[in-house]
Structures are given as structure tokens and as C-alpha cells.
Amino acid sequence: MRGIVALTSLDNTTELRNRIETRDARIGIVGMGYVGLPLSLLFSEERFRVTGFDIDPRKVETLNTGGTYIVRIPGPEIQLARQNGFTATEDYGQIAQMDVVIICVPTPLNEYHEPDLSYVTGTVRSIAPHLREGQLIILESTTYPGTTEEVVVPLLEQDNPSCLRVARDAASPGFYVAFSPEREDPGNDSVARRDIPKVVGGCGPAAADLASAIYATIFSRTVLVSSPAVAEMTKLLENIYRCVNIALVNELKQLCIRMNIDLFEVIDAAKTKPFGFQPFYPGPGLGGHCIPIDPFYLSWKAKEFDFHTRFIELAGEVNLAMPYFVVENIIEAMSQRGKALCGSRVLVLGLAYKRDIDDLRESPSLTIIELLQKRGAHVEYNDPFVPSVGRGRKYALNMRSTPLEQIPEFDCVVIVTDHSQYDYAGIVSKAKLVVDTRNATRGIDSANVVRC
Ligand SMILES: NC(=O)c1ccc[n+]([C@@H]2O[C@H](COP(=O)([O-])OP(=O)(O)OC[C@H]3O[C@@H](n4cnc5c(N)ncnc54)[C@H](O)[C@@H]3O)[C@@H](O)[C@H]2O)c1
């Protein structure tokens, strides 16, 4: 009887737990992008030996020579991490040496607006041959509820040569799997990264506890939920909430312009209410790797359950139309000054999708530039964070940032991204016409400014 008790109380997680405690656990982070690189640095600061995996040889080389490719992560931070043992590699063979593997690869949409999980499945297929007993695999990429259990676990189980299975409790042999969404808000320094609570859902309580233990070393608080699907859905709820509310104010902005009411003034008044209201601000359209994309992961999955996510679809429709609305306003503002857009010179201020960052993904500026060019305008841009732009997933702009001194030469200047280092009063004083999509010129009284 004693023997049976000893056997059933076996805890296979003890060794990894101890290694986390002593900082001897080796951490592998897959995807050295906006999410994976800062996460690597956090673990490195906490004295873990971190290995960054990426398929992009230029990123691997830059990191291994102490360089950087993300504006807000300075080179010295990488160099410090390297002194703590941080290295980058393209070699998946090194996965076997890792105790914890965290996946932070892209989850975009394909051309039909459906989830493109190829980066996740490619990564999981590359990890599986090197999987070993007791390893903890965590997915951080944003995705639809069910991905961890329905896609990641089966691929790991079927492609690992040792026939290991996911361990659903601490007494079972195998590897552990969890999902924990990334909640970072790039450029927002109001909350320290470690103070953003980390939501964790495991394939069983043992995986959840282990994932919580590793994240507790770098985050002030972890929030355990009952399954990976709950954690996956939590991230989507957060982003859908933002997407829908931004669509609401984008629609109201169009109405307020017709009614000659300043919506920004309205929002400022409304947010004095101490409860029940959170301010969202209108803009030229959605950008970034999250808000324009993630909601559609849920819409797609919902169809499997004969369900139409109408709020998401409607919000998508309103937000996608915003760059067109901006271009209509540019045409109108120019024609009121006796100018046609076709043949005119337009300078777009801000290429990044939001203030004070260098990320161009899904940026409304790119769509606005394309729409202006299609209508015959000669378009240039200025962005202090983006000295040049080549070919992206959708657009081939091949442009360099135009110095602000040239503003007087343009027929119209369009503020698409309200970077804080711009001197807006100076811009307005030099420009023939300013179309402001961000209310960045608020308080500047000039007949040359059109806000939309
Ligand atoms: N950027 C954000 O602010 C943010 C915030 C929250 C969540 N997320 C989510 O995090 C995930 C990653 O986003 P990101 O912004 O860091 O993307 P990113 O494009 O900046 O970085 C992804 C990295 O993964 C690498 N990669 C692609 N396939 C790989 C593979 N098979 N093996 C190894 N490396 C591979 C790419 O080369 C790239 O360096 C996405 O699911 C995104 O939705 C991003």
C-alpha cells in the first residue's frame, strides 16, 4: 500500500521547478521579433541563460554581434544580455538543450482574411524532432481558441521520434504544454512590462503551474486560467474590445464632422465620468500586428460553430474604410483651395502605425499612400523612426524619409502618425495645407488646418 502511495505521488515537475528556482533552467525563445526579443532580455536580466531561435540569418547575426534592429531596444541591452549568456541561432538542434521553449512567431491573416498558422506549425514541426521528456513548451503567438490543443499538441506528439505524449499531470511522463498571450503595448511606457499580469492556461494543472513558475520570475503577477483555450480567448477578447470601440469612435468622428462637433472635446468631457467609460480615440484606420488581425481569428473559428461574429465584422468594415475617408477629406480640402490631387505633391507625416514606434505592419499610412498614388498624387513621407522603406508584404514603396525642411514645397501635408517629436506649430506655419487625422494640431488656430 505504501509503495502505491509513493508511486502515485511522483512529481515529474520537481526537477524543472528546482532549475527555475536556481536559474539553471535553459530558456529557448523562438521568434526574435517585437515580442520574443524583449522577452529574451527580461529572462536574461533575471540571470537565465537564454537562446533565441530565428529563421532570419540577419537577425541572428545582428544579435550575436551585440547589435539591434528594434529602435526601442538599444544595442547595449543586447550586449548586456550576451554577457549573461544570451545567444541567437538558426539551429533547431539546440532545442534539445532547452528546459523551456516559448514560441513567439507571427500569426497573420492570408489573402482571404483567414488565419495563417504556417509560422506556428512550421515552428512546432521544427521543435518536435528535438523534444525531450520534461520540457515545457509555451505558445505566446495570438491565435484562435483551440490552437494549442488542436494544432500544437497533436503536431508535437506525432512528429517527435521518442513517441512522447503531453503530460496532463505531474505524475505522467511526457512534455508539458501551455498557452500564455503576450499583452505588450509597444510605445506605451505607462506600465512597466513586468507589471502587466501574465495570463497562463496549461494542458493540465502541472503545465499551468510550471508555466506560471517560469513567468513569475519576470512578471509581478501571473493569472492562471483553466485551459489554453480560455487563455487564447482572453487575448482575443482584449483585442476585439479595442477594435470594436475604436470602430465606434471612428464612426462617430464622421458624424461629428458633419455636425460640426469636435469629438475629441466630447471624449475628454466623457472621460471625466469616474466609472463606466473608457476613452478610445478615432484615427486614420487600424494598424499593427494585433488589432486589425486578431479579431478575424475568432470570426474564422466561429464559423465552425455556425456562428457569425457580427460586431467584429462591422468593426472591421468601419475601420477598414478609414483610410478611404482620409483620402476623400484630402481631395475635398485641396479642391476647396482650387487644387486637384492628381499631379499635386503630398507629404505623409508618420509611416509607423502609431506614435513613437518603428513598426509599419498594417499601418494605415501605407494604404493612404497607395490610395493617393492611385489618384495621381506624387507622395513622399517623413518618419523619424523609419529612415527608408522598401518592399513589404502588401506594398513596394521603395522610398526614403523626406526632411521636414522641404514642407513648404508640398501642396498638402497629411498627419497620419502623431509622433511626439514633431513640432506641430512649426509644421502648420510652414505648410500650405495640413490634413490632420490625429488631432495632433489641437489648439493651433490656422485656416490651413483641416481635421478629419
Ligand atoms: N508586436 C506586438 O506588439 C504584439 C503584441 C501582442 C501579441 N503579439 C503576437 O505575438 C506574435 C509575434 O509577434 P511579433 O510582433 O513579435 O512578430 P515579429 O514579426 O516581430 O517577429 C516574429 C519573428 O519570428 C521569426 N520566425 C518566423 N517563423 C519562424 C520559425 N519557423 N522559426 C523561428 N523563427 C521564426 C521571424 O523571422 C521574426 O523574427 C504574433 O502572434 C503577434 O500577434 C504581438
Side-chain angles (χ1 to χ4, degrees), residues 30-36 53-56 59 69 72 92 104-107 119 122-123 126 140-143 182-186 235 289-290 294 353 359 361:
V30 186
M32 290 288 93
Y34 288 96
V35 168
F53 294 79
D54 207 291
I55 48 170
D56 183 342
K59 286 189 175 165
Y69 40 82
R72 66 202 156 85
Y92 269 97
C104 310
V105 295
T107 43
Y119 297 92
T123 299
S126 302
E140 280 216 8
S141 302
T142 309
T143 184
E182 170 55 54
R183 300 168 117 180
E184 200 204 9
D185 183 14
K235 172 71 187 175
H289 189 18
C290 296
D294 303 346
Y353 78 87
D359 192 344
R361 289 174 297 177

Side-chain angles (χ1 to χ4, degrees), residues 48-101:
F48 285 101
R49 207 169 133 206
V50 180
T51 305
F53 294 79
D54 207 291
I55 48 170
D56 183 342
R58 287 165 308 170
K59 286 189 175 165
V60 169
E61 200 197 323
T62 306
L63 295 174
N64 284 339
T65 48
T68 184
Y69 40 82
I70 297 181
V71 169
R72 66 202 156 85
I73 300 178
E77 282 189 28
I78 309 285
Q79 290 146 29
L80 191 67
R82 287 190 51 72
Q83 285 167 21
N84 289 341
F86 170 66
T87 53
T89 183
E90 291 169 73
D91 173 18
Y92 269 97
Q94 294 189 32
I95 287 286
Q97 298 158 32
M98 303 300 130
D99 296 295
V100 179
V101 178

